[in-house]
Amino acid sequence: MLLVVMYHYVRGAGRNPFPALKSLDADLFRRQVDALRSRYEMATLESALALLRGEYRGRRPLCLLTFDDGVKDHYREVTPVLVDRGIQGLFFLVTGCMEEQVVATVHKNHFLTAQLGLAEWQRRFVERAGRMGVALPAVDGEAAARTYPWDTPEAAAFKYRFNFQLPAAAREPVVAELFAEEFGAEAAFARELYVSWEEARRMQMGGMVLGGHTHRHEALAAMPAAEMERDLAECRRILDLRMLPQPQTPFSYPYGKRDSFTGAAVERLRQLDFCCAFSTEAGRNRVGADCYALQRVDCRQAA
């Protein structure tokens, strides 16, 4: 059995100017890693895939640690803990954010929520969208709850409409205006939010594996086919250009629920030689599992 644990923001108390941001405390992260390694054999990408192929049997169930979005927390707070304990982590990068020094729309949403509070952020978004002629669709509450099980119904509904139901072309101008008003220059914010390429290479030299998380952090299923193919190809191209060579390169789907990616996306990942892909569907993986729909457990459900 393979348990894959999923992390996003991991922030130390002295390094979090956004206390309302949903993040895992760095001290709790260290304790959690120690608890996991007391119960599991800590996997590498190689041993995890060998187990799923039936070619490796660990002394205990395996546990693999994964980190989405390529945020600087992973360089500052996470990598030193893993290096100190001899544990490999898999880190998934949004290549466009790093290469172009832009903030992904999903992350703008996180920080505007943390800065303003959900109610005020919603109010401003709805008001500005109306002023800009953007129609807001009715929310599929059941899908929102399934996609964001850790949020309140109100927060889940807003995030689902924001990330899935509004076309990017309608949503992004609204968010860009509000983000600039609140935080100023986007490039400066991006430099502080995401790891640099030099930092990512240092993580590799410490034994970490770097993978893809698309170029723009959009749900692959929501993209026209040609756009999806270009996004994944650009993600792979930049990883190959900027990163140190690796035997295998994994992938993590943005948002990650089963309806956020398609069979065509999986086929494109195979063509681009991504060795496997991780979803956010909750569960554990056993021998013979589909390596392009691997299940994970949120860190809040782990030991």
Side-chain angles (χ1 to χ4, degrees):
M1 187 273 289
L2 171 67
L3 171 71
V4 184
V5 184
M6 169 180 58
Y7 297 86
H8 290 85
Y9 303 107
V10 180
R11 300 205 153 191
R15 287 182 172 169
N16 189 6
F18 299 95
L21 182 71
K22 290 187 177 180
S23 61
L24 184 69
D25 179 77
D27 288 335
L28 178 57
F29 171 71
R30 283 189 286 273
R31 295 196 297 271
Q32 188 176 83
V33 169
D34 288 337
L36 288 168
R37 69 176 181 153
S38 73
R39 296 171 51 198
Y40 294 90
E41 177 181 328
M42 301 309 288
T44 63
L45 176 61
E46 181 181 14
S47 68
L49 294 180
L51 180 141
L52 297 176
R53 294 193 301 265
E55 299 171 1
Y56 177 73
R57 186 172 181 176
R59 301 180 305 277
R60 295 180 289 174
L62 268 63
C63 176
L64 185 65
L65 304 183
T66 66
F67 304 84
D68 285 5
D69 297 339
V71 292
K72 205 175 285 285
D73 308 1
H74 301 161
Y75 176 72
R76 290 173 172 166
E77 306 286 358
V78 171
T79 297
V81 172
L82 300 186
V83 170
D84 182 63
R85 291 156 174 76
I87 297 171
Q88 183 184 87
L90 275 54
F91 297 82
F92 299 103
L93 309 178
V94 185
T95 53
C97 295
M98 298 168 65
E99 191 74 0
E100 301 165 18
Q101 295 186 344
V102 296
V103 178
T105 303
V106 65
H107 298 144
K108 289 177 180 174
N109 182 24
H110 294 167
F111 285 94
L112 283 163
T113 301
Q115 180 84 341
L116 302 172
L118 179 62
E120 177 62 12
W121 164 223
Q122 284 184 299
R123 186 194 68 77
R124 290 197 193 181
F125 180 81
V126 170
E127 186 275 332
R128 189 63 57 90
R131 191 188 308 171
M132 297 174 70
V134 175
L136 299 180
V139 178
D140 183 337
E142 183 177 333
R146 184 176 66 252
T147 304
Y148 297 106
W150 297 99
D151 288 292
T152 65
E154 183 184 21
F158 180 69
K159 289 168 73 172
Y160 189 79
R161 180 164 64 181
F162 185 91
N163 291 319
F164 286 91
Q165 295 184 292
L166 271 174
R171 176 193 64 206
E172 290 179 4
V174 182
V175 181
E177 274 195 11
L178 292 167
F179 188 84
E181 289 172 9
E182 201 64 37
F183 297 112
E186 184 173 341
F189 197 99
R191 283 193 295 272
E192 181 57 26
L193 178 58
Y194 303 110
V195 296
S196 68
W197 290 114
E198 177 59 30
E199 290 166 343
R201 290 188 288 268
R202 289 177 190 165
M203 292 165 68
Q204 286 183 292
M205 289 186 281
M208 306 302 118
V209 170
L210 281 295
H213 198 40
T214 71
H215 188 64
R216 292 175 47 223
H217 201 293
E218 295 289 344
L220 295 172
M223 292 182 178
E227 182 181 343
M228 176 271 292
E229 293 184 1
R230 285 194 300 271
D231 184 281
L232 293 179
E234 186 67 357
C235 177
R236 182 72 210 215
R237 183 189 72 80
I238 293 174
L239 289 174
D240 290 343
L241 176 67
R242 298 296 190 190
M243 302 309 306
L244 301 175
Q246 295 181 156
Q248 300 182 98
T249 301
F251 186 85
S252 170
Y253 300 107
Y255 308 108
K257 293 301 182 186
R258 192 63 188 86
D259 58 0
S260 72
F261 59 96
T262 62
V266 171
E267 180 57 30
R268 187 61 172 146
L269 292 173
R270 292 180 188 274
Q271 292 170 359
L272 293 167
D273 201 28
F274 286 102
C275 65
C276 61
F278 294 85
S279 74
T280 61
E281 294 289 351
R284 289 159 170 77
N285 304 281
R286 301 187 183 278
V287 174
D290 181 353
C291 286
Y292 289 87
L294 293 172
Q295 296 180 317
R296 295 190 284 180
V297 171
D298 188 272
C299 60
R300 288 165 287 191
Q301 296 174 295

